[in-house]
């Protein structure tokens, strides 16, 4: 595969609203991000992905954009973005923005004009349909955030518009070449401004079936899962290839797609050489256990499930392309709370999980706060929730007969708000996030878990992430850890996640004991030279004997073999 500038990079996701507030209004902002660039650099970060900062009514926290060419004053100004790009450049870092073009906001000028004249130019930028002859909605599709996908078009009671997400997020009609041109113009405008690329939001939704029809009803609400519509939609590749050719390709930009449910045979088209995107996220373990009924019916992802999902994704991509690996993002609960059984959660186990995913083949993404081991928050009432999908899932759970406590347990486990509580910088008031009132309450555990406390503690999660970055960048191991193949080792041994990264005769064995009890691992070779471990200072990993080595509880080790 052709070498590209982004393949050996380490990325970090900033969710600006919750990152750092520089002016005391309780909302994180771009100047806040600039002030932490040195901190990110020290963490080993090369690429910073900013979740949306464009003008927005914030119905879906910025994923509902009302102007693609501006910056919401709550987050800063275009000058601030230019400064961010320049300051990043000084440090050899890159800024990646969020590209949200499956839909815009219902407050975007395009949609306003579509409402004024549904048969005019902008009417064709959206999916607008008449009511069915019997007065019913055009199709029975359920939106991701609950309820049906159709909303009456303001001012036109006989018409509906399509929104696969919230009703304030009308879907853009990608079949219309004029719309596509507008999108490409905007992408190029940002790339010309100096950003290094985009994370591409919800992109698999841009292709709809040519004929809109109903699918089997799967809940009491009489609607069908939106996945049925996606399954039925053929030919997204044409749009994605065109976008690549017109925008990312000529700019040699980094693009990472939010792609779910890809089929193995499509992977080369998506992220192979000359593919639609540079990379796409691995969501294998993220979607594990999901239920069409809702969050209340989800199965937890145990260490064995985690391992199986990750290896399956690694296998299906092989060396065809580069996955982007995560344990969490702004749409998911905290990875440490999700993949480590609650009673086993500790700095040691957090570091073990970090090591397990960070050294996989692909681009490691760190989500803000992950590097200090931030955990889920317990939500004790519906009023504490902000996120629209959590509010919906709470109601879905109650409607399905769950008690209030059960519904709260489901949202506490899976709410997107878990990832959106402010970053815990210090043990001071509001975790040092703001001098005002934070827009979303901080996690009460900030006195124990915060960046300042971890800064000088050699055994902290933060310092372990720094060591992981240094290992990937160390010239001795950099090539194998970037371009090397990955082969699972002793895949069926319970709660052992081990794999070998190999390139040109160099082999690095990564092994993680995902349980509190020690366990023994047979070694593939006689050599076992440890280059990194998550044990506390003063502790040494055990030496092998008789071709085996003993791993302590939640021990993670990387060794040359
Ligand atoms: C993506 C975003 C999510 C948003 C949705 C609609 O999944 O990551 O936050 O709600 O798209 O834009
Ligand atoms: Ca602010």
């Amino acid at each position: 595969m052709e070498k590209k500038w982004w393949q050996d990079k380490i990325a970090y996701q900033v969710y600006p609203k919750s990152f750092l507030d520089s002016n005391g209004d309780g909302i994180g902002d771009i100047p806040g991000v600039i002030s932490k660039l040195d901190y990110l650099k020290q963490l080993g970060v090369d690429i910073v992905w900013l979740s949306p900062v464009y003008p927005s009514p914030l119905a879906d926290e910025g994923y509902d954009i009302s102007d693609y060419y501006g910056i919401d004053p709550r987050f800063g100004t275009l000058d601030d973005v230019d400064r961010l790009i320049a300051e990043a450049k000084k440090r050899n870092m890159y800024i990646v923005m969020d590209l949200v073009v499956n839909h815009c906001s219902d407050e975007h000028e395009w949609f306003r004009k579509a409402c004024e004249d549904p048969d005019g130019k902008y009417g064709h930028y959206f999916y607008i349909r008449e009511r069915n002859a019997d007065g019913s909605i055009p199709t029975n599709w359920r939106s991701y955030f609950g309820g049906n996908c159709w909303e009456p078009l303001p001012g036109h009671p006989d018409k509906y518009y399509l929104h696969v997400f919230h009703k304030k997020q009308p879907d853009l009609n990608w079949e219309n070449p004029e719309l596509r041109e507008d999108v490409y113009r905007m992408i190029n405008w940002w790339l010309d401004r100096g950003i290094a690329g985009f994370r591409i939001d919800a992109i698999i939704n841009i292709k709809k079936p040519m004929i809109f029809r109903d699918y089997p009803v799967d809940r009491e609400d009489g609607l069908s899962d939106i996945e049925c519509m996606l399954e039925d939609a053929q030919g997204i590749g044409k749009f994605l290839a065109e976008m690549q050719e017109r925008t990312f390709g000529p700019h040699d930009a980094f693009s990472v797609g939010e792609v779910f449910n890809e089929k193995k045979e499509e992977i080369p088209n998506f992220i192979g050489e000359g593919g639609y995107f540079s990379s796409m996220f691995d969501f294998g373990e993220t979607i594990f256990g999901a239920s069409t009924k809702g969050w209340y019916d989800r199965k937890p992802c145990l260490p064995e499930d985690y391992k199986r999902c990750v290896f399956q994704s690694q296998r299906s991509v092989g060396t065809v392309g580069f996955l982007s690996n995560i344990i969490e993002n702004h749409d998911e609960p905290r990875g440490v709370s999700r993949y480590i059984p609650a009673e086993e959660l500790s700095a040691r186990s957090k570091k073990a999980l970090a090591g397990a995913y960070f050294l996989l083949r692909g681009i490691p993404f760190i989500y803000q706060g992950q590097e200090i081991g931030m955990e889920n928050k317990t939500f004790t009432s519906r009023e504490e929730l902000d996120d629209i999908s959590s509010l919906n899932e709470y109601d879905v759970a109650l409607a399905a007969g769950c008690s209030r406590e059960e519904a709260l347990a489901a949202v506490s486990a899976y709410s997107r708000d878990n990832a959106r509580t402010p970053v815990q910088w210090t043990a001071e008031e509001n975790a040092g996030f703001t001098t005002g009132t934070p827009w979303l309450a901080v996690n009460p555990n900030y006195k124990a878990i915060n960046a300042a406390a971890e800064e000088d503690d050699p055994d902290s999660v933060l310092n372990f992430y720094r060591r992981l970055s240094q290992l990937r960048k160390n010239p001795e191991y950099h090539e194998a850890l970037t371009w090397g193949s990955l082969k699972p080792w002793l895949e069926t041994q319970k709660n052992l996640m081990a794999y070998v990264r190999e390139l040109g005769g160099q082999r690095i064995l990564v092994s993680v004991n995902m349980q509190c009890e020690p366990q023994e691992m047979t070694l593939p070779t006689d050599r076992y030279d440890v280059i990194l471990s998550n044990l506390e200072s003063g502790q040494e990993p055990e030496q092998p004997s008789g071709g085996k080595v003993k791993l302590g509880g939640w021990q993670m080790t990387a060794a040359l073999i």
Side-chain angles (χ1 to χ4, degrees):
M1 191 185 186
E2 196 198 340
K3 287 203 173 163
K4 289 286 195 182
W5 66 266
W6 44 263
Q7 286 166 346
D8 62 348
K9 299 294 181 267
I10 293 170
Y12 186 96
Q13 179 187 358
V14 169
Y15 191 73
K17 198 173 181 188
S18 305
F19 187 70
L20 181 62
D21 173 23
S22 71
N23 61 355
D25 64 357
I27 295 179
D29 44 48
I30 299 167
V33 181
I34 298 174
S35 71
K36 287 290 178 187
L37 282 177
D38 287 328
Y39 166 86
L40 296 178
K41 182 75 191 174
Q42 218 201 334
L43 181 58
V45 171
D46 306 293
I47 296 177
V48 179
W49 152 31
L50 279 195
S51 274
V53 284
Y54 314 96
S56 163
L58 304 188
D60 187 20
E61 295 302 357
Y63 285 90
D64 47 323
I65 298 173
S66 55
D67 174 8
Y68 287 106
Y69 292 90
I71 297 298
D72 194 293
R74 281 169 284 207
F75 298 128
T77 61
L78 264 179
D79 282 346
D80 290 332
V81 172
D82 290 342
R83 209 151 51 81
L84 175 65
I85 295 170
E87 289 296 322
K89 207 171 219 160
K90 274 191 209 160
R91 296 165 174 81
N92 280 323
M93 294 164 84
Y94 306 83
I95 300 298
V96 161
M97 306 240 318
D98 219 301
L99 181 65
V100 188
V101 287
N102 172 68
H103 45 266
C104 58
S105 161
D106 65 341
E107 298 183 28
H108 192 286
E109 187 189 13
W110 294 339
F111 192 71
R112 289 224 189 101
K113 290 189 172 157
C115 295
E116 278 162 25
D117 180 10
D119 300 319
K121 171 171 171 177
Y122 292 102
H124 301 295
Y125 273 40
F126 300 90
Y127 294 101
I128 296 174
R129 293 286 187 278
E130 307 285 318
R131 267 171 207 277
N132 291 329
D134 62 359
S136 60
I137 55 169
T139 63
N140 69 348
W141 309 342
R142 180 186 305 110
S143 85
Y144 287 101
F145 297 149
N148 76 61
C149 277
W150 297 95
E151 189 66 17
L153 187 71
H156 303 271
D158 53 324
K159 295 187 193 317
Y160 284 94
Y161 69 91
L162 177 71
H163 61 89
V164 303
F165 291 94
H166 193 257
K167 65 180 179 202
K168 283 188 70 65
Q169 296 169 298
D171 279 53
L172 291 165
N173 176 11
W174 273 71
E175 304 295 336
N176 179 354
E178 274 189 277
L179 173 272
R180 301 207 298 275
E181 285 308 316
D182 266 340
V183 169
Y184 304 153
R185 191 174 318 125
M186 178 271 287
I187 297 175
N188 287 326
W189 185 86
W190 279 106
L191 291 172
D192 291 339
R193 217 174 173 95
I195 64 165
F198 282 101
R199 172 266 185 181
I200 301 145
D201 183 73
I203 196 67
I204 46 161
N205 296 282
I206 63 171
K207 183 70 194 179
K208 314 294 193 272
M210 292 316 280
I211 298 169
F212 285 13
R213 57 193 180 96
D214 285 354
Y215 301 105
V217 172
D218 55 23
R219 282 189 203 170
E220 302 263 301
D221 60 7
L223 301 173
S224 79
D225 198 291
I226 195 74
E227 298 292 332
C228 302
M229 178 281 275
L230 289 180
E231 282 279 309
D232 208 11
Q234 301 297 319
I236 192 172
K238 183 177 149 262
F239 297 153
L240 299 181
E242 185 182 84
M243 174 160 61
Q244 199 281 338
E245 279 163 27
R246 298 287 307 283
T247 63
F248 313 134
H251 282 89
D252 196 19
F254 172 66
S255 56
V256 50
E258 189 193 21
V259 178
F260 286 94
N261 294 347
E262 69 286 351
K263 301 191 180 68
K264 188 169 189 279
E265 60 277 13
E266 296 170 342
I267 291 173
N269 293 339
F270 274 87
I271 56 167
E273 203 165 317
Y276 314 139
F277 305 124
S278 312
S279 178
M280 63 188 187
F281 290 105
D282 173 22
F283 290 123
E285 64 290 344
T286 315
I287 55 180
F288 176 85
S291 159
T292 49
K293 292 185 189 163
W295 289 351
Y296 73 89
D297 191 47
R298 274 196 90 127
K299 266 205 310 208
C301 187
L302 303 172
E304 277 297 284
D305 304 315
Y306 176 80
K307 168 174 77 178
R308 201 171 351 98
C309 292
V310 170
F311 283 164
Q312 191 181 327
S313 306
Q314 288 280 326
R315 238 184 227 118
S316 42
V317 172
T319 52
V320 162
F322 282 76
L323 283 169
S324 286
N325 298 310
I326 59 167
I327 61 166
E328 64 199 44
N329 64 26
H330 67 293
D331 290 331
E332 302 297 334
R334 291 289 179 176
V336 295
S337 302
R338 181 181 211 163
Y339 302 120
I340 301 170
E343 56 295 351
E344 301 181 21
L345 194 55
S346 64
R348 168 84 78 91
S349 57
K350 290 175 183 180
K351 291 188 272 181
L353 178 64
Y357 101 97
F358 208 86
L359 301 177
L360 292 169
R361 192 173 187 284
I363 301 162
F365 271 70
I366 303 172
Y367 177 72
Q368 65 183 34
Q370 176 188 323
E371 76 277 16
I372 56 169
M374 281 181 65
E375 300 171 4
N376 278 358
K377 187 174 177 224
T378 304
F379 296 94
T380 54
S381 75
R382 192 181 188 277
E383 287 62 51
E384 282 175 42
L385 298 165
D386 167 80
D387 164 40
I388 42 183
S389 87
S390 306
L391 291 165
N392 170 58
E393 292 285 351
Y394 178 85
D395 297 341
V396 166
L398 288 187
C402 293
S403 67
R404 211 179 140 267
E405 287 65 36
E406 287 163 339
L408 283 169
V411 289
S412 293
Y414 297 108
S415 174
R416 309 198 295 180
D417 286 333
N418 282 308
R420 300 176 181 187
T421 62
V423 172
Q424 295 162 206
W425 295 108
T426 69
E428 285 152 37
E429 207 180 347
N430 297 320
F433 162 73
T434 180
T435 53
T437 308
W439 73 276
L440 187 66
V442 296
N443 191 319
N445 67 13
Y446 72 92
K447 293 222 160 100
I449 299 176
N450 66 71
E454 296 191 21
E455 184 60 47
D456 299 321
D457 172 2
D459 296 330
S460 67
V461 178
L462 176 60
N463 278 313
F464 189 67
Y465 268 98
R466 289 175 176 156
R467 301 223 298 277
L468 282 168
S469 300
Q470 284 156 11
L471 189 75
R472 282 195 79 114
K473 288 174 195 277
N474 184 330
E476 295 238 359
Y477 318 119
H478 167 252
E479 303 236 332
L481 291 177
T482 305
W483 291 284
S485 63
L486 180 145
K487 282 202 195 71
W489 173 244
L490 302 178
E491 200 174 344
T492 55
Q493 187 169 324
K494 190 166 177 220
N495 292 345
L496 174 72
M497 179 163 168
Y499 52 86
V500 179
R501 301 293 316 272
E502 176 168 4
L503 188 79
Q506 188 181 52
R507 289 194 291 178
I508 300 168
L509 171 67
V510 177
S511 35
V512 187
N513 176 18
M514 301 181 98
Q515 61 181 24
C516 288
E517 301 73 41
Q519 67 173 311
E520 228 174 32
M521 172 176 72
T522 302
L523 292 168
T525 66
D526 290 341
R527 188 173 177 200
Y528 184 72
D529 294 333
V530 174
I531 53 177
L532 178 79
S533 107
N534 70 336
L535 299 184
E536 295 72 25
S537 3
Q539 291 193 33
E540 291 296 328
E542 291 226 12
Q543 287 299 310
S545 97
K548 290 174 191 275
V549 70
K550 197 162 139 207
L551 303 172
W554 286 99
Q555 178 182 329
M556 178 270 159
T557 310
L560 291 168
I561 58 165

